[in-house]
Amino acid sequence: MTDAQPSHIVTSYEQELTRLRAAISEMGGRVEVQLSDAIRAISRRDAALAARCQAADASIDAMEDEIEELTLRMIALRQPVARDLRSILAALRISHDLERMGDYATNVAKRASALIRLPEVGPINGIARMGRLAHLVIKDVLDAYTDNDVERAVNAWRRDEEIDQMYTSLFRELLTYMMEDPRNITPCAHLLFVAKNIERIGDHATNIAETIYFEENGTRLEGLRPKGDTSSFEIQGEEPADPFDLDPPGPEDGSETP
Amino acid sequence: MNDGTQAVEQALSESSTPKPATETKHVKILNRDVNVFYGEKHALKHVDLDIYEHEVTALIGPSGCGKSTFLRCLNRMNDVIDSCRVAGTIEIDQTDIYTSGLDVVQLRARVGMVFQKPNPFPKSIFDNVAYGPRIHGTAQNKSEVEEIVRTSLERAGLWKEVHDRLDQPGTGLSGGQQQRLCIARAIAVNPEVILMDEPCSALDPIATAKIEELIDELRENYTIVIVTHSMQQAARVSQRTAFFHLGDLVEVDQTDSMFTNPKDSRTQGYITGRFG
């Protein structure tokens, strides 16, 4: 799948494109670490790691700014067209997605700091498993980006369904814990947000996969992504409707069918 | 992790175009209050412009704005126009080039020029490049001339294409090759500054890209000033851009600042295609 485009006649243009790609890979690497550290902070109850992880977010944000500057300059000075133009736009879009993923991972780390101060309850293992799966999907899309491997990107795109399904089942499990004992509500509410954050990270990873497809083919990835997240419609027990449902069904991801 | 991080930050900072900081750069050509008159017409007005060594400075602006007039001041090409009068100070390495008694031929060897239309002499490829070193006496013997011809053609990126037909006429080459031959001819006399007056306007896009790549390589050893009608070309090849309008130097800045955030509304209007 690796495209063997001949190099530009103008060497410095080629170098800038290479740098841009390297910067995205590097930023992606930082997001991967950010997520795995945040999850580890929860499962190992490691307060120091949680704090370090929160501090690391600034460097991800700074990279987004740098990538934006680089793309702005390239568009202004190189007048890119065709595949080059798509590559530059793709880098810009991916950097925005990565920045959001970094924010979600940082939020997981913040919740880790809170959870560590609470008694250990709830399906920590399930959260860790979901985190590992999200991490794998991120790694796959980033590798696909580095290698221009669209097939791999599309496979990763499909795997987001698994993350969504895990989120739905964690949602149910957490509700059960909360109903069992009201003292579980605080830690479980935090875990619910952790799960939601990881689910959102997965959604941004699929955005990246779609961008990779667009960069390579110049067309949009057709068809709806299979969705496994049904928690938005979830009703516990026999209650007819949930007046506190703050996450009603709706086209929140754009690709969701109500 | 940290190592990788630093590497990328370094890569990103390196990409911020002009290599060394402006403050430490050597001003190769200093222009102060340069005015040019064609008879009564005040063609260039009070131009203050520093041209830095090892940079490509692009001069842009609409036709008649004075950019070519300014370029021709830098090697006293305006001397040949009777009605033309140049006032102000132009110094190359602190030496006033309009001082009386200055050898203009010597000056033009230091400040070479490449024109809009490739203009090789009706001689062989070899003789085109060897001409300058021979008349300036910089080459002592045949082997030195051959050496200069080879290195000049190599630096102009033409050696590979012509090394086996040096005895053929320069006029038989393609337009892009002829322009590179003219660049080779200019650098054969070992100039410090190369002036280029729309060097690509007669060339197709690929030949243009080759010249642009060549310009980028040449700035390692020379100071380059280029006049171009194509502001896109200015954006691509230069580190510094000067915008002229109606004889005024409106704005000069680093090229990436100029094309992402120009300060003057006239520059903004011109480069975005709103007037001019």
Side-chain angles (χ1 to χ4, degrees):
Chain A
M1 288 301 282
T2 309
D3 67 340
Q5 288 199 111
S7 293
H8 287 95
I9 294 167
V10 175
T11 323
S12 52
Y13 187 10
E14 194 68 29
Q15 287 166 345
E16 280 176 14
L17 285 167
T18 309
R19 261 185 225 132
L20 188 59
R21 197 160 275 274
I24 289 288
S25 299
E26 173 58 28
M27 187 181 176
R30 289 192 204 186
V31 171
E32 277 186 56
V33 171
Q34 185 80 342
L35 176 64
S36 58
D37 280 356
I39 299 292
R40 221 175 24 240
I42 290 178
S43 56
R44 295 189 188 165
R45 298 175 76 78
D46 185 338
L49 182 60
R52 265 206 310 283
C53 188
Q54 288 164 54
D57 190 45
S59 80
I60 295 177
D61 291 354
M63 280 212 77
E64 187 201 15
D65 291 345
E66 285 164 7
I67 288 168
E68 192 172 297
E69 262 175 47
L70 190 56
T71 53
L72 186 71
R73 198 164 51 228
M74 287 180 76
I75 291 168
L77 302 188
R78 302 287 180 195
Q79 304 102 37
V81 292
R83 168 66 196 251
D84 296 333
L85 180 58
R86 294 203 304 275
S87 293
I88 292 169
L89 288 184
L92 190 62
R93 261 155 61 168
I94 292 173
S95 74
H96 291 325
D97 280 315
L98 287 173
E99 188 274 334
R100 295 304 304 151
M101 290 158 87
D103 282 353
Y104 286 122
T106 306
N107 190 269
V108 171
K110 284 180 186 160
R111 299 202 180 264
S113 298
L115 284 163
I116 289 161
R117 295 197 298 271
L118 296 163
E120 188 170 353
V121 285
I124 300 291
N125 284 338
I127 292 281
R129 215 164 38 241
M130 186 177 173
R132 275 197 298 276
L133 180 60
H135 185 255
L136 275 180
V137 172
I138 297 174
K139 191 178 176 313
D140 265 359
V141 289
L142 289 173
D143 287 350
Y145 177 74
T146 309
D147 303 339
N148 290 314
D149 187 342
V150 175
E151 205 179 319
R152 189 164 183 182
V154 172
N155 285 336
W157 181 73
R158 292 212 177 86
R159 288 188 72 188
D160 183 51
E161 186 183 9
E162 292 172 46
I163 300 179
D164 289 350
Q165 283 165 349
M166 282 177 100
Y167 172 64
T168 304
S169 80
L170 275 167
F171 179 86
R172 284 185 198 142
E173 207 176 335
L174 285 162
L175 285 188
T176 317
Y177 276 103
M178 289 193 256
M179 282 187 293
E180 268 176 8
D181 185 345
R183 282 171 296 181
N184 288 343
I185 288 177
T186 305
C188 285
H190 280 300
L191 286 174
L192 195 53
F193 275 108
V194 168
K196 184 67 189 170
N197 284 328
I198 298 172
E199 188 269 330
R200 292 298 294 145
I201 286 173
D203 288 345
H204 283 282
T206 63
N207 285 352
I208 294 176
E210 286 166 15
T211 301
I212 294 168
Y213 185 94
F214 172 75
E215 180 188 0
E216 185 69 28
N217 298 306
T219 55
R220 313 249 164 228
L221 186 47
E222 292 294 331
L224 285 176
R225 185 162 51 86
K227 295 287 290 184
D229 169 18
T230 55
S231 69
S232 300
F233 317 106
E234 200 74 27
I235 293 166
Q236 197 67 26
E238 291 175 5
E239 299 287 325
D242 180 2
F244 300 108
D245 182 6
L246 297 176
D247 193 13
E252 63 211 38
D253 305 339
S255 58
E256 197 166 23
T257 40
Chain B
M1 190 61 210
N2 270 337
D3 290 344
T5 301
Q6 282 159 6
V8 167
E9 275 163 3
Q10 197 187 349
L12 281 166
S13 66
E14 276 170 6
S15 69
S16 340
T17 12
K19 281 170 188 169
T22 309
E23 288 71 37
T24 61
K25 281 216 153 205
H26 173 60
V27 176
K28 184 73 184 172
I29 310 177
L30 177 131
N31 300 278
R32 289 292 177 272
D33 197 26
V34 175
N35 288 274
V36 178
F37 302 86
Y38 291 115
E40 289 301 300
K41 189 177 161 17
H42 197 173
L44 204 59
K45 301 164 190 168
H46 312 290
V47 171
D48 295 334
L49 177 61
D50 290 338
I51 290 166
Y52 294 89
E53 194 169 36
H54 304 311
E55 268 193 7
V56 179
T57 301
L59 313 179
I60 61 168
S63 295
C65 68
K67 57 189 190 297
S68 289
T69 297
F70 177 75
L71 187 78
R72 296 160 70 89
C73 290
L74 301 179
N75 66 348
R76 293 184 56 172
M77 291 282 283
N78 290 324
D79 288 13
V80 297
I81 304 168
D82 284 337
S83 66
C84 181
R85 187 165 62 82
V86 178
T89 308
I90 302 178
E91 292 178 355
I92 297 183
D93 288 334
Q94 287 97 43
T95 306
D96 189 339
I97 62 166
Y98 280 84
T99 192
S100 60
L102 183 117
D103 182 350
V104 177
V105 174
Q106 205 54 47
L107 171 71
R108 289 181 195 149
R110 284 175 68 198
V111 184
M113 193 150 185
V114 176
F115 297 87
Q116 181 171 358
K117 227 174 140 237
N119 55 352
F121 303 135
K123 290 167 173 281
S124 71
I125 293 169
F126 186 93
D127 286 342
N128 261 280
V129 184
Y131 181 81
R134 278 175 184 150
I135 62 155
H136 286 287
T138 45
Q140 303 302 319
N141 53 48
K142 191 165 169 282
S143 72
E144 277 185 30
V145 172
E146 281 171 356
E147 177 64 17
I148 290 173
V149 169
R150 190 178 56 79
T151 53
S152 301
L153 286 169
E154 275 173 358
R155 282 187 176 176
L158 195 58
W159 177 252
K160 276 188 196 152
E161 292 160 56
V162 300
H163 67 94
D164 53 355
R165 46 174 170 143
L166 294 174
D167 55 339
Q168 288 177 23
T171 47
L173 297 171
S174 74
Q177 287 172 328
Q178 285 188 25
Q179 196 61 301
R180 279 181 280 148
L181 178 62
C182 292
I183 292 172
R185 189 178 63 191
I187 61 186
V189 293
N190 203 18
E192 297 157 39
V193 180
I194 303 174
L195 309 178
M196 297 185 173
D197 195 351
E198 302 197 39
C200 301
S201 59
L203 305 181
D204 71 53
I206 295 300
T208 298
K210 285 182 183 166
I211 300 278
E212 288 176 359
E213 168 66 0
L214 174 59
I215 291 172
D216 201 43
E217 285 169 12
L218 290 175
R219 79 178 165 98
E220 296 260 316
N221 297 306
Y222 309 97
T223 301
I224 296 170
V225 187
I226 177 171
V227 163
T228 173
H229 264 307
S230 156
M231 45 210 155
Q232 288 79 15
Q233 180 170 58
R236 292 190 299 262
V237 301
S238 70
Q239 285 69 56
R240 197 169 296 274
T241 300
F243 170 57
F244 289 78
H245 186 238
L246 300 173
D248 291 309
L249 171 59
V250 174
E251 184 171 351
V252 56
D253 204 346
Q254 295 194 10
T255 299
D256 56 352
S257 308
M258 193 83 150
F259 282 91
T260 52
N261 190 15
K263 305 289 176 289
D264 192 287
S265 61
R266 285 169 292 174
T267 317
Q268 171 87 22
Y270 182 69
I271 64 174
T272 57
R274 287 180 164 79
F275 90 95

